[in-house]
Amino acid sequence: EPEVTQTPSHQVTQMGQEVILRCVPISNHLYFYWYRQILGQKVEFLVSFYNNEISEKSEIFDDQFSVERPDGSNFTLKIRSTKLEDSAMYFCASTRFPNSPLHFGNGTRLTVT
Amino acid sequence: GNSVTQMEGPVTLSEEAFLTINCTYTATGYPSLFWYVQYPGEGLQLLLKATKADDKGSNKGFEATYRKETTSFHLEKGSVQVSDSAVYFCALISTSQGGSEKLVFGKGTKLTVNP
């Protein structure tokens, strides 16, 4: 069964550095998402992406965050200048149709020191 | 806005015990409802779903019924196993004014099943 893949599984970075989290959604999916989960807390929506543009973003998704679909397969989340509070598990998800279940990747654990 | 409230854990049960994890929602209209499961060290997996009132979602012995009158979607399993130990998230599809959709999650309930 096709699945969403995320790399790396764990990223450690210093405060102020830029990070790029990578995702390969399921190939025939059209809607893409990033969520994050701070340790022990709820899963929070960051951003949704469709037709090469952002559909919706949360308050968390400020100017330090950006998303891109540079080619037909990858979907990336960039954090320009990481802060300690950006430490979390970041999940990529995709779906083919609206109102359908999302398929999630296994996540990238980001640790900012 | 749309939101999900679920029973906070942790929940600890013995093998073969009955499980209920409560979930209620606040939403405009009748959103699709989901339960996702997160096993230790893994991502989120869809467990079951229901798309309209009175629908019952079921998978792997788990069930949940979409109750419009009580705005609830409680998760149940008649006999839990050690392998069911995980964090369970109730979620709904929320549609923005602009028409985009996203999943809104509850806080998650950690279940531990002891042999």
Side-chain angles (χ1 to χ4, degrees), chain A residues 25-44:
Chain A
I26 295 173
S27 61
N28 63 351
H29 284 188
L30 303 174
Y31 298 81
F32 312 110
Y33 304 81
W34 283 100
Y35 284 78
R36 80 171 185 190
Q37 183 184 29
I38 293 172
L39 186 64
Q41 298 187 26
K42 69 190 299 184
V43 179
E44 302 173 291

Side-chain angles (χ1 to χ4, degrees), chain B residues 1-114:
Chain B
N2 295 345
S3 64
V4 174
T5 302
Q6 68 179 98
M7 171 178 147
E8 290 195 34
V11 174
T12 303
L13 296 173
S14 298
E15 210 164 19
E16 299 183 7
F18 184 86
L19 169 72
T20 299
I21 301 177
N22 289 339
C23 171
T24 57
Y25 66 89
T26 302
T28 51
Y30 304 108
S32 294
L33 301 174
F34 307 87
W35 277 98
Y36 277 81
V37 58
Q38 185 179 30
Y39 296 104
E42 298 186 17
L44 295 157
Q45 300 176 28
L46 177 68
L47 181 60
L48 53 84
K49 66 173 182 176
T51 57
K52 60 184 188 297
D54 300 326
D55 262 5
K56 179 187 281 188
S58 61
N59 186 25
K60 298 181 182 179
F62 290 89
E63 292 183 340
T65 301
Y66 193 142
R67 300 282 188 205
K68 184 179 65 174
E69 61 278 8
T70 54
T71 62
S72 65
F73 193 54
H74 304 322
L75 183 68
E76 297 182 335
K77 185 173 186 181
S79 176
V80 293
Q81 306 300 312
V82 172
S83 57
D84 293 326
S85 298
V87 181
Y88 292 82
F89 293 91
C90 186
L92 59 76
I93 291 277
S94 176
T95 304
S96 72
Q97 285 187 334
S100 66
E101 297 182 339
K102 64 177 186 281
L103 270 179
V104 174
F105 286 91
K107 289 187 176 180
T109 303
K110 183 176 181 180
L111 170 67
T112 302
V113 181
N114 295 318

